[in-house]
Amino acid sequence: MKTPLVSILCFLAASFLGAAGQFLYREGAKQAHGGLMGYLLNARILLGVACYIGVMTLFVAAFKRGGSLTVLYPIYATTFIWAALLAMCIDGQPIKFVNIGGMALLVGGMYLMGK
């Protein structure tokens, strides 16, 4: 089964949204006060939830158009790379050499999974 480009692009967009959702969850958690309602009414957490609804919508769209799990899910694994880059660009969190090595292994694994 050949995975259509549109399915790959859906999963790549989902990986960006997933990284944004992780970032928004973290930022929302920093702001949340007062127990459960502080989380449920937090704008950043709600935006993070919206990102993950987008992720699931893109997953469904990608699978509807066809494609192999062994190709698509490794693409979604790039979420962790995008999250690290977001944290570096927005918060100035450093990306260490060991992190770059892990990212390289992730990309290598994605390549091998797609074979």
Side-chain angles (χ1 to χ4, degrees):
M1 170 196 282
K2 182 142 172 75
T3 300
L5 179 61
V6 68
S7 294
I8 292 170
L9 293 175
C10 282
F11 260 72
L12 187 58
S15 72
F16 291 130
L17 274 180
Q22 290 172 22
F23 179 79
L24 288 164
Y25 283 163
R26 189 193 70 183
E27 293 302 307
K30 287 180 185 177
Q31 288 183 337
H33 301 289
L36 181 61
M37 291 310 289
Y39 292 113
L40 294 176
L41 300 176
N42 184 292
R44 289 184 179 172
I45 291 174
L46 292 174
L47 284 171
V49 169
C51 285
Y52 278 102
I53 290 170
V55 167
M56 293 303 118
T57 302
L58 287 165
F59 279 8
V60 171
F63 288 131
K64 184 164 179 64
R65 286 162 178 79
S68 170
L69 284 173
T70 59
V71 172
L72 294 176
Y73 270 106
I75 292 168
Y76 188 68
T78 63
T79 299
F80 303 106
I81 295 172
W82 305 127
L85 291 172
L86 263 177
M88 181 186 71
C89 292
I90 294 173
D91 287 341
Q93 291 185 11
I95 296 177
K96 301 173 188 168
F97 183 74
V98 68
N99 303 128
I100 293 170
M103 291 175 193
L105 288 171
L106 179 65
V107 171
M110 290 184 322
Y111 172 78
L112 293 173
M113 288 292 293
K115 287 291 185 183

